[in-house]
Amino acid sequence: MDKLIGRIQKYSWKDISKDELVYSGHLACAGCGAALAMRIALKALGKDIVIIVPASCWSVIDGIYPFHALKVNFIHTAFETAPSVATGLKRGLIMKGEKKKTVVSWAGDGATFDIGLQALSSAAERNEDIIYICYDNEGYMNTGSQSSSSTPYGATTGTTPATFSRENRKKDIIGIMAAHQIPYIATSSVAFPEDMTRKIIRAKQIKGFRFLHILSPCPVGWGFDSELTVEIARLAVETRLFPLIEIYKGIELCITYEPSGESIRKYLRLQKRFSHLKDKDIRMIQKTVNRNWENLIRNVSIWKKKTEDP
């Protein structure tokens, strides 16, 4: 397994902002994974950035005009337009000679997996020089916890109650983005801040379209006590449900953290959205997780073999 763990670019603490770039007193719910994700991300991104945020929880968290929760430039935009706005802004900055300023799209899963997928795909296909970060709380949490195509199988939401819980599986957004063969893709979790920091710094070092997928647990939508946010994010990784990986140019796949392989049962039982699941449902989900992990290992092994062959 050690040979399958990919290298991540080393970084110095000089690369990390010492400033807190998120003001206290913002409007996030207690234990909000999305707020924690932003705080960690800005430490790595620094001040010389512009963040474009479509309709999402962060449209609310940032505050009501004229108040603003971040110490960086922040643009609100429509649900489906974050990649388009980021594209135009980056090109405008280049025309003005501000080539070093980083442009970041910061979007939830609704604006990424669903409503904004067309604009996301177009920007990726053109290889626009922007960083796109999806903070994934697996539903439309800002408007009542409705189901999105990021919502996992078996979960209850505002539109899929227990008697009609989610029957579809979570969309493979990483596979979709890898098919575009963009320079850099990575997954990260709020429970692994050092891993997230390294990956964001690495993304800043690369030109072209970069996509990061951050799992951001939602206490309200998922149904758990706010102090469990980091523990649930950790279990998602340790159970192999949400592997931490990097993909370069859509081809080179690296695992950046080796999970312990804990049972999925503990992760599911900590959340009310899965409380209706029976043992047979949990066993089926565990089989799916095992199969997906085996496929991931196989893909890494195939790439390793190709690079090692004479």
Side-chain angles (χ1 to χ4, degrees), residues 99-148:
K99 298 180 181 180
K100 293 184 179 181
K101 191 176 288 293
T102 303
V103 176
V104 180
S105 287
W106 180 272
D109 51 282
T112 303
F113 287 63
D114 298 336
I115 298 172
L117 185 61
Q118 181 179 18
L120 172 61
S121 176
S122 296
E125 188 273 331
R126 295 190 305 268
N127 197 29
E128 299 290 348
D129 189 23
I130 60 176
I131 297 176
Y132 189 103
I133 299 178
C134 172
Y135 68 94
D136 183 5
N137 50 29
E138 299 187 329
Y140 290 90
M141 301 309 178
N142 182 34
T143 54
S145 306
Q146 296 90 352
S147 175
S148 78

Side-chain angles (χ1 to χ4, degrees), residues 89-290:
L89 179 61
K90 180 62 178 182
R91 293 190 181 197
L93 289 169
I94 291 173
M95 290 295 291
K96 290 181 63 179
E98 298 185 45
K99 298 180 181 180
K100 293 184 179 181
K101 191 176 288 293
T102 303
V103 176
V104 180
S105 287
W106 180 272
D109 51 282
T112 303
F113 287 63
D114 298 336
I115 298 172
L117 185 61
Q118 181 179 18
L120 172 61
S121 176
S122 296
E125 188 273 331
R126 295 190 305 268
N127 197 29
E128 299 290 348
D129 189 23
I130 60 176
I131 297 176
Y132 189 103
I133 299 178
C134 172
Y135 68 94
D136 183 5
N137 50 29
E138 299 187 329
Y140 290 90
M141 301 309 178
N142 182 34
T143 54
S145 306
Q146 296 90 352
S147 175
S148 78
S149 60
S150 172
T151 304
Y153 171 84
T156 59
T157 69
T159 49
T160 56
T163 50
F164 299 99
S165 60
R166 171 91 172 166
E167 295 182 351
N168 298 333
R169 301 192 185 282
K170 181 168 181 166
K171 184 183 287 183
D172 181 12
I173 195 67
I174 295 299
I176 291 170
M177 297 312 298
H180 290 74
Q181 298 186 14
I182 56 178
Y184 185 72
I185 298 168
T187 62
S188 55
S189 166
V190 295
F192 295 82
E194 290 189 356
D195 179 80
M196 185 192 301
T197 299
R198 286 194 293 264
K199 287 172 177 174
I200 292 175
I201 290 175
R202 179 57 178 150
K204 285 184 65 179
Q205 297 169 344
I206 296 171
K207 291 291 185 181
F209 196 90
R210 293 139 285 170
F211 181 86
L212 288 97
H213 182 196
I214 303 175
L215 186 66
S216 306
C218 172
V220 177
W222 294 16
F224 60 84
D225 292 336
S226 58
E227 66 267 22
L228 293 176
T229 300
V230 172
E231 174 64 8
I232 286 175
R234 184 193 69 80
L235 282 171
V237 174
E238 295 291 5
T239 59
R240 299 172 176 167
L241 177 68
F242 190 85
L244 299 182
I245 64 172
E246 290 179 308
I247 303 176
Y248 294 85
K249 298 181 180 179
I251 301 171
E252 180 183 344
L253 172 63
C254 302
I255 297 170
T256 61
Y257 176 81
E258 182 178 358
S260 61
E262 292 187 44
S263 168
I264 198 68
R265 180 179 294 274
K266 184 176 181 181
Y267 172 79
L268 297 174
R269 288 308 189 202
L270 285 175
Q271 304 170 56
K272 290 181 181 177
R273 62 176 179 161
F274 296 119
S275 61
H276 63 288
L277 295 181
K278 297 179 171 55
D279 286 344
K280 65 176 182 179
D281 300 316
I282 295 175
R283 287 195 297 270
M284 186 186 71
I285 293 171
Q286 183 69 69
K287 286 181 181 179
T288 300
V289 170
N290 293 346

